[in-house]
């Protein structure tokens, strides 16, 4: 297994600057809705930009996501990384999935308000999605354990597809125990 360094911090800031107005709009909606819907931890020590947004920009790299791909973001919550991908990469389509109604409503509102025409929101359990929907990439940020994600991906990820999972460093052991061929791990830290 190889560890690949994703976009550098400087490259992430550059993507942020290119889309600054749209990212600011998204973050203002996120903060507004977070007052009534728990979209992200309400901790005083969390920096939304540096702790949530910039790491998600790492998975928008052209070497990971090429033009025309379609992907699914599992357990989208507040939109990390799904909305971030949709903003930074209007040339790919993203299906945001969320089983909590309030969070799905937020995602739908953001997609409509920001005119993210490359984004669709699915409200419900991902297991109720059709088996014949195949995706070029799957993203997930701290969603379930890797075994459950890989089980879902087994019938829904195209053979040459990619999974972009945001997992803590401790997940390496979890990933090694799976019976999948993992060729690369991308370090977004």
């Amino acid at each position: 297994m190889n560890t690949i360094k994703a976009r550098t911090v400087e490259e992430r800031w550059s993507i942020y600057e290119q889309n600054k107005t749209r990212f600011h709009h998204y973050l203002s909606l996120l903060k507004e809705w977070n007052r009534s819907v728990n979209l992200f931890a309400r901790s005083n020590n969390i920096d939304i930009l540096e702790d949530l947004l910039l790491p998600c920009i790492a998975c928008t790299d052209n070497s990971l996501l090429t033009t025309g791909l379609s992907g699914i973001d599992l357990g989208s919550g507040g939109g990390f990384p799904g909305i971030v991908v949709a903003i930074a990469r209007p040339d790919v389509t993203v299906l945001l999935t969320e089983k909590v109604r309030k969070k799905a409503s937020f995602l739908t509102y953001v997609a409509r308000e920001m005119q993210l025409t490359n984004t669709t929101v699915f409200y419900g359990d991902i297991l109720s999605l059709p088996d014949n929907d195949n995706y070029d990439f799957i993203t997930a940020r701290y969603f379930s354990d890797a075994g459950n994600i890989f089980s879902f991906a087994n019938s829904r990820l195209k053979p040459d597809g990619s999974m972009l999972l945001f997992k803590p460093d401790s997940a390496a052991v979890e990933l090694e125990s799976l019976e999948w061929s993992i060729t690369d791990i991308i370090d977004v830290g």
Side-chain angles (χ1 to χ4, degrees):
M1 205 172 343
N2 301 317
T3 299
I4 301 169
K5 190 74 176 161
R7 288 188 189 272
T8 65
V9 173
E10 292 78 20
E11 290 171 322
R12 293 180 212 177
W13 277 109
S14 175
I15 297 293
Y16 171 77
E17 288 296 327
Q18 292 168 27
N19 298 281
K20 190 174 189 172
T21 302
R22 293 179 63 89
F23 281 134
H24 273 249
H25 188 189
Y26 165 55
L27 294 178
S28 70
L29 294 172
L30 184 72
K31 289 176 188 175
E32 177 186 326
W33 276 65
N34 200 52
R35 290 186 202 119
S36 59
V37 179
N38 189 23
L39 299 169
F40 64 92
R42 294 186 181 126
S43 168
N44 290 338
N45 61 354
I46 191 167
D47 182 323
I48 299 170
L49 185 60
E50 297 224 4
D51 296 336
L52 299 175
L53 186 75
L54 286 177
C56 292
I57 288 176
C59 71
T60 66
D61 195 311
N62 292 338
S63 67
L64 302 172
L65 303 178
T66 56
T67 298
L69 295 182
S70 66
I72 182 170
D73 183 36
L74 305 178
S76 300
F80 297 106
I83 293 285
V84 176
V85 171
I87 292 170
R89 295 296 305 273
D91 58 329
V92 302
T93 59
V94 183
L95 173 63
L96 307 173
T97 65
E98 182 53 58
K99 68 178 183 178
V100 176
R101 183 182 304 275
K102 289 179 181 180
K103 292 178 182 182
S105 294
F106 167 74
L107 296 167
T108 301
Y109 179 77
V110 168
R112 187 175 52 246
E113 171 76 15
M114 296 188 64
Q115 299 177 354
L116 297 174
T117 57
N118 61 333
T119 305
T120 307
V121 177
F122 172 80
Y123 164 63
D125 191 309
I126 61 168
L127 298 177
S128 63
L129 288 166
D131 280 344
N132 60 348
D133 285 354
N134 289 348
Y135 303 96
D136 297 300
F137 65 93
I138 293 175
T139 59
R141 185 179 173 276
Y142 300 107
F143 174 83
S144 192
D145 63 63
N148 288 337
I149 295 170
F150 278 70
S151 177
F152 172 83
N154 200 33
S155 64
R156 293 174 180 90
L157 186 64
K158 291 181 180 176
D160 59 344
S162 300
M163 285 196 290
L164 307 168
L165 309 180
F166 288 76
K167 303 288 270 175
D169 292 338
S170 61
V173 173
E174 181 184 352
L175 294 173
E176 288 174 4
S177 68
L178 298 172
E179 294 180 17
W180 273 63
S181 173
I182 300 172
T183 56
D184 300 313
I185 292 183
I186 299 164
D187 179 4
V188 298

